[in-house]
Amino acid sequence: MSYDDQNIFAKILRRELPAAIVYEDERTAAFMDIMPRSPGHCLVIPKAHARNLLDCDEADLAACMAVVKKLSGAAMRAFGADGVTLLQANESAAGQEVFHLHFHIIPRHDGEKLKPPAGEMESPDVLMANADKIRAAME
Ligand code: 5GP
């Protein structure tokens, strides 16, 4: 399985497609998921080419995980969440649809079920406002 640099997240990284960016550093980027499974659902990705966890350089993986931790706390604070679900799929059989490694951060509230994947597309204005909220909650 190889990396195809025409995938959607590679285009977001190259700024060929818009996204509500939450965070960016040398090795990683984070932005809001366009079809959120709860308000505040965002994605952390390495900047380096990696199809998924299986071909990711370990230093990039470590950098992603540090950001996943930071943004998990920030997203929980920003949305007054009671918990946070992390999801990460490898290959179609596992539910992967975009073939650039990504970690889902999904804030959760007691008693609230996750919306189904590939559901409603959120408006860019709401996604931008949610990205701002998470950024403001980062320490
Ligand atoms: P996967 O199923 O590969 O783990 O998750 C892919 C995720 O990418 C889905 O949650 C989907 O909503 C999200 N997604 C698909 N296309 C776009 C897009 O153009 N922009 C953003 N921000 N997210 C997208």
Side-chain angles (χ1 to χ4, degrees):
M1 297 291 183
S2 59
Y3 181 84
D4 175 3
D5 72 0
Q6 293 307 305
N7 74 76
I8 291 167
F9 296 167
K11 290 181 180 177
I12 287 174
L13 281 175
R14 294 195 296 268
R15 303 297 197 263
E16 293 168 12
L17 284 177
I21 307 277
V22 180
Y23 175 84
E24 195 167 6
D25 62 28
E26 242 174 65
R27 283 185 186 267
T28 71
F31 49 88
M32 304 311 292
D33 194 296
I34 207 168
M35 289 173 276
R37 298 188 65 185
S38 78
H41 180 176
C42 57
L43 303 167
V44 176
I45 69 172
K47 286 189 170 170
H49 289 180
R51 180 175 165 91
N52 53 40
L53 185 80
L54 305 170
D55 64 339
C56 186
D57 172 88
E58 292 196 359
D60 290 317
L61 200 50
C64 283
M65 288 316 297
V67 175
V68 165
K69 181 177 177 184
K70 207 181 291 183
L71 285 190
S72 293
M76 280 186 69
R77 287 190 293 278
F79 290 87
D82 303 303
V84 61
T85 295
L86 303 181
L87 291 175
Q88 193 275 312
N90 302 284
E91 300 302 333
S92 305
Q96 184 175 10
E97 294 200 338
V98 178
F99 293 93
H100 182 114
L101 173 62
H102 53 281
F103 295 88
H104 297 258
I105 295 175
I106 310 176
R108 305 297 301 274
H109 290 88
D110 286 335
E112 276 185 23
K113 287 195 177 153
L114 277 188
K115 290 186 195 154
E120 259 174 62
M121 212 176 275
E122 188 53 275
S123 79
D125 287 354
V126 169
L127 293 178
M128 286 298 191
N130 288 350
D132 287 347
K133 277 191 203 169
I134 296 176
R135 207 176 308 109
M138 285 178 83
E139 286 167 344

